[in-house]
Amino acid sequence: MLYRLYQKHIFPHVLNQVMQTSSLMDLRRELMLNISGEVLEIGFGTGLNLAFYQGVDTVYALEPNLDIYALAAERIQLTPFHVEHICASAEQIPLPNDHVEHIISTWTLCSIPDLNQSLQELYRVLKPGGTLHVLEHVLNRENLNIQRMQHVLTPIQKLVADGCHLNRDIETLLLETGFDIQHAQYINAVGIPKIGQRMLLARVTKPF
Ligand SMILES: C[S@@+](CC[C@H](N)C(=O)[O-])C[C@H]1O[C@@H](n2cnc3c(N)ncnc32)[C@H](O)[C@@H]1O
């Protein structure tokens, strides 16, 4: 009961604040460069990427959590392009095969319960030659002590942060799904605790 109240009334506001940390906003800006046309954004959250889209016609905003999506309303109203809400999970995307040119995921792949299923869905709906742009906190491959802490603390993180895993090796999972890596860059984000500081900014394509 208390946990449900926390998830419904407190967590969405905490998420909205934390995800506006200035180093994260800078990374969003970098990810959104040169993305145009129709875009599918998974785990749309509170709409914090909207300000950085340029030359976009439509954003399909896939977000299953209505308490979180409600906090995007004002940002959507101020947006000059079309935003269409898709209330669904990334494990089952209600779009046809080979449909979109660009997919965006910012700090969402950490939270999806069945990540393998979801990556297969992203691969399915992406056009051949299309790009999945990801910005995620990841398993720290460089530092074994931090990595150990990421494994130990993930069960607690999942409880307080709506299913978020600290220990996912996203680059490996993208390769295993069949994506081609065009660009992959690791960054330690400023102002974020070491346990979740290691970020992957990557652009991966679905081969023709
Ligand atoms: C850490 S938040 C990031 C929100 C947003 N992408 C951002 O950059 O601020 C993770 C988001 O993933 C969403 N999410 C959780 N499970 C999901 C699923 N199975 N499919 C799609 N989105 C999911 C959550 O509701 C939440 O909005």
Side-chain angles (χ1 to χ4, degrees), residues 137-139 149-150 153-154 157 164-168 195-196:
H137 65 83
V138 292
L139 182 77
M149 289 306 286
Q150 288 180 315
L153 292 178
T154 284
Q157 174 78 357
C164 169
H165 297 68
L166 294 163
N167 58 354
R168 283 185 164 166
I195 193 92

Side-chain angles (χ1 to χ4, degrees), residues 97-160:
N97 295 352
D98 303 338
H99 192 67
V100 285
E101 192 76 46
H102 296 282
I103 302 178
I104 307 291
S105 173
T106 56
W107 299 287
T108 292
L109 299 182
C110 59
S111 298
I112 293 174
D114 189 341
L115 186 53
N116 284 327
Q117 165 72 23
S118 156
L119 289 175
Q120 281 166 27
E121 276 294 87
L122 299 184
Y123 192 90
R124 180 184 68 75
V125 302
L126 198 59
K127 285 183 180 168
T131 307
L132 164 63
H133 309 258
V134 305
L135 184 49
E136 302 287 340
H137 65 83
V138 292
L139 182 77
N140 193 323
R141 293 173 176 174
E142 310 294 309
N143 185 320
L144 277 182
N145 286 332
I146 293 179
Q147 200 178 114
R148 233 173 268 129
M149 289 306 286
Q150 288 180 315
H151 289 309
V152 168
L153 292 178
T154 284
I156 298 168
Q157 174 78 357
K158 282 171 71 179
L159 275 178
V160 296

Side-chain angles (χ1 to χ4, degrees), residues 15 28 43 45 62-65 68 89-91 106-108 111-113:
L15 178 76
R28 293 179 193 279
L62 185 139
E63 175 54 63
N65 185 325
I68 291 177
S89 297
E91 288 96 334
T106 56
W107 299 287
T108 292
S111 298
I112 293 174

Side-chain angles (χ1 to χ4, degrees), residues 5-124:
L5 284 175
Y6 165 74
Q7 279 193 310
K8 191 170 173 55
H9 297 291
I10 298 175
F11 178 72
H13 295 276
V14 173
L15 178 76
N16 189 36
Q17 286 308 314
V18 171
M19 298 314 290
Q20 294 185 62
T21 302
S22 74
S23 62
L24 304 188
M25 296 305 266
D26 289 345
L27 289 171
R28 293 179 193 279
R29 184 178 293 109
E30 188 179 338
L31 187 77
M32 298 308 158
L33 289 175
N34 302 322
I35 296 173
S36 57
E38 279 191 345
V39 175
L40 167 65
E41 184 176 330
I42 61 158
F44 181 77
T46 62
L48 293 173
N49 291 328
L50 286 175
F52 303 115
Y53 283 114
Q54 297 159 6
V56 162
D57 306 321
T58 298
V59 171
Y60 295 108
L62 185 139
E63 175 54 63
N65 185 325
L66 294 178
D67 299 316
I68 291 177
Y69 188 75
L71 300 186
E74 250 176 66
R75 294 188 181 105
I76 292 170
Q77 262 187 356
L78 295 171
T79 299
F81 48 83
H82 182 57
V83 178
E84 186 173 324
H85 184 207
I86 301 179
C87 188
S89 297
E91 288 96 334
Q92 216 171 357
I93 303 175
L95 290 175
N97 295 352
D98 303 338
H99 192 67
V100 285
E101 192 76 46
H102 296 282
I103 302 178
I104 307 291
S105 173
T106 56
W107 299 287
T108 292
L109 299 182
C110 59
S111 298
I112 293 174
D114 189 341
L115 186 53
N116 284 327
Q117 165 72 23
S118 156
L119 289 175
Q120 281 166 27
E121 276 294 87
L122 299 184
Y123 192 90
R124 180 184 68 75

